[in-house]
């Protein structure tokens, strides 16, 4: 695991953007797994800037981790629902870059048959040969996607009930400013499972802020447990890059070691 610690959010976003851009440049038809939320916004802004300077997304395929159930892409009017993750992705990234619409995959929160739909979503990932690089944030309850505490570490794409903490966080981040009452928020989501995420060949997790520091330490240095589903990162067999700002890294026991390893690898060109 490469654990990279940077002074602040901007520097964290710079580093993570370079990782993603590196994949796109070296494999122009790469498959990216993408996340929503506040954390990746800086990365998406930088990817847009890089696109303006020539970074080409015309062959890139993307799969998003999750979508609220009951809202989402209306197939007739694709991005008409303000709080859907489909809309978020469109506004924050897709409408600004030259990605092809048919190469974008976001779980359809409007499906009437979630079980068969989720199996279909998994098949689509399989059909393109799997995800090359999965971008991830970290929920305050330790979730990846919407894999809330208690989700099996082998779980697949499915319908998942959201915890109260996640509902509170989402309300603060997205719904409050639009004056949408809490009882009208979706209580379920479609999410890739932990087992699905672990099949991505490479993982890039970004986390910032003191509010997440305790969870970062538990996830990276604590025991692997379904109570902190992102702790499954310790089981991943591909290349793992975790980029943190100082505040998020502040409760790590071994941060000196991670800084030392990063320096060594840089010095030796690894
Ligand atoms: C969103 C997702 C979530 C977020 C997590 C952190 O697609 O998968 O797991 O990554 O809830 O959200 P922020 O970045 O808003 O703190």
């Amino acid at each position: 695991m490469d654990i990279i610690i940077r002074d602040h959010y901007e520097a964290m976003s710079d580093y993570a953007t370079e990782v993603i851009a590196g994949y796109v440049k070296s494999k122009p038809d790469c498959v990216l797994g993408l996340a929503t939320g506040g954390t990746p916004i800086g990365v998406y802004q930088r990817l847009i800037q890089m696109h303006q300077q020539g970074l080409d997304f015309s062959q890139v395929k993307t799969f998003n981790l999750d979508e609220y159930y009951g809202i989402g892409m209306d197939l007739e009017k694709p991005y008409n629902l303000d709080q859907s993750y489909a809309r978020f992705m469109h506004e924050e990234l897709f409408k600004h870059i030259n990605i092809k619409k048919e190469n974008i995959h976001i779980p359809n929160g409007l499906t009437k048959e979630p079980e068969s739909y989720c199996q279909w979503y998994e098949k689509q990932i399989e059909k393109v040969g799997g995800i090359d690089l999965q971008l991830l944030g970290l929920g305050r309850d330790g979730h990846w996607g919407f894999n809330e505490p208690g989700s099996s570490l082998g779980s697949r794409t499915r319908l998942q009930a959201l915890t109260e903490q996640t509902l509170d966080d989402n309300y603060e981040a997205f719904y409050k400013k639009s004056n949408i009452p809490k009882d009208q928020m979706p209580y379920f989501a479609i999410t890739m499972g932990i087992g699905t995420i672990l099949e991505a060949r490479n993982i890039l997790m970004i986390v910032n802020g003191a509010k997440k520091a305790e969870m970062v330490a538990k996830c990276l240095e604590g025991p692997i447990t379904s109570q902190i589903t992102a702790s499954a990162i310790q089981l991943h067999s591909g290349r793992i890059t975790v980029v943190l700002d100082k505040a998020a890294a502040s409760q790590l026991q071994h941060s000196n070691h991670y800084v030392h390893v990063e320096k060594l690898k840089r010095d030796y060109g690894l």
Side-chain angles (χ1 to χ4, degrees):
M1 244 193 272
D2 288 330
I3 300 178
I4 310 293
I5 301 169
R6 289 292 178 268
D7 282 346
H8 43 69
Y9 177 79
E10 304 300 324
M12 175 201 82
S13 303
D14 284 342
Y15 191 99
T17 307
E18 286 300 332
V19 173
I20 298 174
Y23 276 86
V24 175
K25 283 177 199 161
S26 66
K27 189 180 177 200
D29 61 347
C30 67
V31 182
L32 299 176
L34 296 178
T36 55
T39 318
I41 287 179
V43 168
Y44 293 153
Q45 287 169 346
R46 284 160 176 76
L47 286 175
I48 293 166
Q49 281 164 11
M50 287 180 124
H51 168 65
Q52 286 159 357
Q53 289 152 16
L55 188 65
D56 180 23
F57 289 89
S58 62
Q59 296 178 65
V60 171
K61 298 184 185 72
T62 61
F63 284 85
N64 263 78
L65 283 168
D66 44 13
E67 176 63 282
Y68 291 114
Y69 190 55
I71 60 175
M73 257 193 287
D74 178 323
L75 297 178
E76 294 303 307
K77 297 183 223 147
Y79 302 106
N80 66 333
L81 288 156
D82 274 5
Q83 305 304 327
S84 75
Y85 280 173
R87 168 136 188 133
F88 174 98
M89 289 308 300
H90 181 66
E91 294 297 332
E92 301 296 339
L93 182 66
F94 294 145
K95 78 174 186 189
H96 306 282
I97 60 175
N98 66 333
I99 188 162
K100 291 195 181 107
K101 214 167 174 186
E102 61 268 29
N103 287 344
I104 296 171
H105 305 83
I106 301 174
N108 180 3
L110 297 173
T111 179
K112 296 279 177 283
E113 290 177 20
E115 207 176 312
S116 55
Y117 177 79
C118 291
Q119 286 167 9
W120 177 86
Y121 197 72
E122 293 255 344
K123 280 262 155 19
Q124 303 315 298
I125 299 175
E126 240 176 79
K127 253 166 81 176
V128 299
I131 291 172
D132 290 305
L133 177 67
Q134 177 66 55
L135 175 65
L136 295 157
L138 177 68
R140 268 208 302 148
D141 62 7
H143 68 217
W144 266 351
F146 276 128
N147 292 283
E148 301 289 40
S151 300
S152 149
L153 300 184
S155 53
R156 310 303 305 189
T157 304
R158 70 203 182 289
L159 193 64
Q160 165 80 46
L162 307 182
T163 62
E164 286 192 33
Q165 191 177 68
T166 299
L167 290 169
D168 287 347
D169 287 350
N170 289 343
Y171 178 69
E172 288 299 322
F174 301 110
Y175 288 84
K176 203 172 165 181
K177 56 178 179 246
S178 310
N179 288 323
I180 297 176
K182 231 177 189 174
D183 61 1
Q184 283 179 33
M185 286 174 58
Y187 283 69
F188 292 86
I190 292 178
T191 182
M192 276 188 207
I194 295 295
T196 321
I197 294 169
L198 288 177
E199 280 171 11
R201 281 183 276 284
N202 302 282
I203 279 181
L204 171 62
M205 180 165 83
I206 52 175
V207 194
N208 71 294
K211 274 210 300 207
K212 306 250 182 94
E214 187 186 343
M215 202 40 86
V216 166
K218 286 183 172 162
C219 162
L220 299 178
E221 296 178 339
I224 299 169
T225 165
S226 63
Q227 291 306 310
I228 298 171
T229 56
S231 65
I233 196 167
Q234 298 174 44
L235 294 168
H236 188 254
S237 55
R239 181 161 197 168
I240 304 170
T241 311
V242 180
V243 196
L244 307 169
D245 74 350
K246 263 196 174 150
S250 59
Q251 291 193 34
L252 287 171
Q253 297 285 309
H254 305 289
S255 49
N256 289 344
H257 171 66
Y258 308 138
V259 172
H260 166 74
V261 171
E262 190 201 346
K263 184 178 176 313
L264 264 187
K265 286 193 171 176
R266 199 173 42 236
D267 290 351
Y268 283 81
L270 297 171

